Amino acid sequence: MLFCSTRGEVHGRDFEDVLFSGFASDGGMFMPENVPTLAPDTLRRWGGLSYTQIVVEVASLFIPTQSIPREDLQGTSGDTGGSAIQSAKGLSGLDVVVIYPRGRVTPVQEKHMITCLDDNVHVFAADGSSDDIDQALRRLFADQDLVRTHGLISLNSVNWSRVMIQLAHFIFAYLQLSGVEQTGTDSALPELEVVVPTGGAGNIAAGCIVKQMGVPLKLVAMVNSNDIVHRTVTSGDFSMAAEVKQTLASAIDIQDPYNMERVFWLLLGGDGSSVRKMMEEFQRTHTSILPKNTHTLLSSVMSTGRVNNEGILEIMRRCWEENQYLVCPHTAVGVWHHYHCPHNPGLRRCYIATASPAKFQEAVQKAGLTFDQFEEVCHLDKLPTRYQNLERSEKWCDDWEQRLRETLQALDLARKNMVSFYTQ
């Protein structure tokens, strides 16, 4: 299995190259040169497997055993910053740098990051949106000398490995809920509708890949008031709004859904030249109107819906009142579809739940609900904190990029001198 860039200028990279990277050198995103197909018999054979076993099977399609032995492929994904910190803290050969949008995550999410004082964990609070942060990171990962010198790897869904693991979410859900085990070998595979709360579009991109692999999914991308994906699917208007709106579903407050590039690449049959032209125009002007054929293809593989804050609170209340099940505001964005879109009785539905409501106390309270907070979360309030600010300036993107470069250089120097970064 070899990988290429969505923009057509990078080919023949192996999994290790792709894993230890972010954006490709041409500014694109890595995808497998050939997307494997899952035969109906394979899906039926996987029917009794656990989630972790499905992860192993899916990852094995893309990772040769000489890169990672099969028995080591027991991976998952979660809230990116907190998960990265918990996975990497204390490791002597690895530094993890986390950048989060200050004031645009909940206090619990923030405390999960800033209360880690391990010497190899470095947290930055940026005065801007997630889209702003991505601008500075794109610049860093475009510098291939910097990437090679410091061994940089992106842990969000820019990195193919994150999307690859998300493939397993859709396949496992399909095997659990579609009723495929009740069909005969000569029968067509049943369709499953999967509704996905969508921000950066990594998860919905994974769904599109699984669909191309032969799993019959009907995909629905649900967004909050930052509705660029909704506008793109419904009208072909792939354009940013004037600003990123802060909503109760903060993790999907995104106007640059960078994984849509992977979706476009799939729809256009791997035509990197067309993708490059489209995405470079979008990045330059923040405005793009999809060609008619591309819009037609996109609207044929997914539908969308849009939910405002009032709708989020309505669903949180209703789901609790009817099911005694408390959903986080991001999950509520998806579940809105259940209550407001007529259901075809012959089609089974699945909703991707994204996080614990424990992280979103303010939204729970605004919905008029109560939640007994976990003791582990309450303990975070008692811990010391450490983080650095990335202030907003006139040339903020240049300043952030330079600050992060200087941090990488300082970390490298501390390692060479075998001294603690925070006590040198």
Side-chain angles (χ1 to χ4, degrees):
M1 174 64 71
L2 296 176
F3 298 82
C4 63
S5 168
T6 51
R7 300 193 184 181
E9 296 182 0
V10 181
H11 298 275
R13 299 299 174 87
D14 63 23
F15 179 76
E16 185 173 344
D17 291 333
V18 172
L19 177 64
F20 290 100
S21 68
F23 293 98
S25 58
D26 62 358
M29 307 178 79
F30 282 111
M31 286 287 282
E33 291 187 349
N34 297 290
V35 176
T37 300
L38 293 175
D41 286 347
T42 300
L43 288 170
R44 292 187 178 98
R45 189 173 68 252
W46 287 358
L49 299 183
S50 67
Y51 169 71
T52 53
Q53 289 171 322
I54 292 295
V55 170
V56 171
E57 296 294 341
V58 171
S60 296
L61 297 173
F62 301 94
I63 306 174
T65 55
Q66 60 266 33
S67 294
I68 302 178
R70 183 181 171 90
E71 59 269 20
D72 292 340
L73 293 177
Q74 302 282 332
T76 185
S77 61
D79 200 358
T80 311
S83 295
I85 288 171
Q86 291 303 312
S87 297
K89 67 179 184 180
L91 297 181
S92 59
L94 178 69
D95 283 285
V96 57
V97 179
V98 173
I99 311 162
Y100 72 93
R102 182 172 55 222
R104 294 174 184 259
V105 300
T106 68
V108 173
Q109 289 176 300
E110 182 177 52
K111 288 169 187 171
H112 270 126
M113 295 182 280
I114 66 176
T115 55
C116 184
L117 304 185
D118 288 71
D119 196 59
N120 71 323
V121 174
H122 319 281
V123 180
F124 289 84
D127 187 11
S129 68
S130 294
D131 289 346
D132 294 335
I133 294 169
D134 285 336
Q135 287 190 51
L137 294 182
R138 274 184 183 273
R139 293 186 182 185
L140 292 176
F141 279 99
D143 185 341
Q144 292 301 295
D145 288 338
L146 183 78
V147 171
R148 284 190 293 269
T149 300
H150 298 287
L152 297 187
I153 175 175
S154 170
L155 287 182
N156 62 7
S157 59
V158 168
N159 195 300
W160 161 253
S161 62
R162 173 74 180 268
V163 176
M164 178 188 70
I165 297 300
Q166 289 174 321
L167 305 181
H169 300 172
F170 290 86
I171 294 172
F172 182 70
Y174 181 81
L175 296 173
Q176 291 289 307
L177 301 174
S178 69
V180 64
E181 76 284 352
Q182 300 168 7
T183 63
T185 55
D186 297 329
S187 304
L189 293 174
E191 190 176 40
L192 177 70
E193 184 176 60
V194 184
V195 183
V196 188
T198 301
N203 220 346
I204 198 69
C208 290
I209 296 168
V210 169
K211 188 178 177 76
Q212 184 151 324
M213 292 171 72
V215 182
L217 301 178
K218 182 178 180 181
L219 298 171
V220 182
M222 294 295 299
V223 302
N224 59 21
S225 297
N226 298 287
D227 63 352
I228 182 171
V229 172
H230 176 66
R231 288 184 284 107
T232 304
V233 173
T234 56
S235 68
D237 178 19
F238 186 48
S239 303
M240 290 188 191
E243 63 179 0
V244 177
K245 300 176 182 176
Q246 288 190 254
T247 77
L248 295 173
S250 55
I252 53 179
D253 288 348
I254 292 174
Q255 286 285 354
D256 182 3
Y258 46 84
N259 274 289
M260 288 301 291
E261 181 164 341
R262 286 185 163 117
V263 175
F264 296 145
W265 184 87
L266 284 171
L267 296 177
L268 297 176
D271 183 354
S273 178
S274 294
V275 173
R276 182 174 66 252
K277 181 179 179 181
M278 182 190 311
M279 296 308 301
E280 286 180 351
E281 177 190 6
F282 175 73
Q283 288 171 357
R284 184 176 64 257
T285 67
H286 295 171
T287 300
S288 182
I289 302 299
L290 298 188
K292 182 174 174 46
N293 68 313
T294 306
H295 177 225
T296 299
L297 289 169
L298 179 62
S299 58
S300 72
V301 299
M302 71 174 76
S303 59
T304 61
R306 174 175 52 199
V307 187
N308 59 21
N309 275 350
E310 290 72 24
I312 290 172
L313 295 175
E314 171 211 337
I315 297 308
M316 293 178 70
R317 286 190 293 266
R318 188 166 177 181
C319 198
W320 174 256
E321 291 166 359
E322 296 183 9
N323 304 283
Q324 285 71 58
Y325 186 83
L326 187 59
V327 296
C328 84
H330 305 79
T331 305
V333 169
V335 176
W336 186 94
H337 178 79
H338 171 71
Y339 288 111
H340 292 275
C341 297
H343 181 219
N344 178 353
L347 179 65
R348 299 190 183 189
R349 278 179 170 174
C350 170
Y351 296 85
I352 301 292
T354 57
S356 167
K359 298 178 182 178
F360 306 98
Q361 298 175 24
E362 180 185 357
V364 172
Q365 292 168 356
K366 283 188 175 181
L369 303 173
T370 58
F371 179 78
D372 292 330
Q373 190 56 274
F374 299 125
E375 182 179 343
E376 296 87 347
V377 173
C378 295
H379 180 65
L380 293 174
D381 291 328
K382 305 173 185 177
L383 298 179
T385 63
R386 184 181 68 208
Y387 64 96
Q388 302 177 58
N389 287 318
L390 291 176
E391 302 292 351
R392 195 81 175 185
S393 63
E394 184 177 349
K395 296 183 177 180
W396 58 268
C397 195
D398 293 337
D399 293 344
W400 293 4
E401 178 190 359
Q402 183 59 31
R403 178 82 173 280
L404 293 171
R405 283 179 179 273
E406 291 171 354
T407 297
L408 294 174
Q409 292 164 357
L411 290 173
D412 192 47
L413 183 62
R415 286 198 173 280
K416 288 179 180 177
N417 293 332
M418 294 184 291
V419 296
S420 169
F421 178 76
Y422 288 100
T423 60
Q424 59 180 314

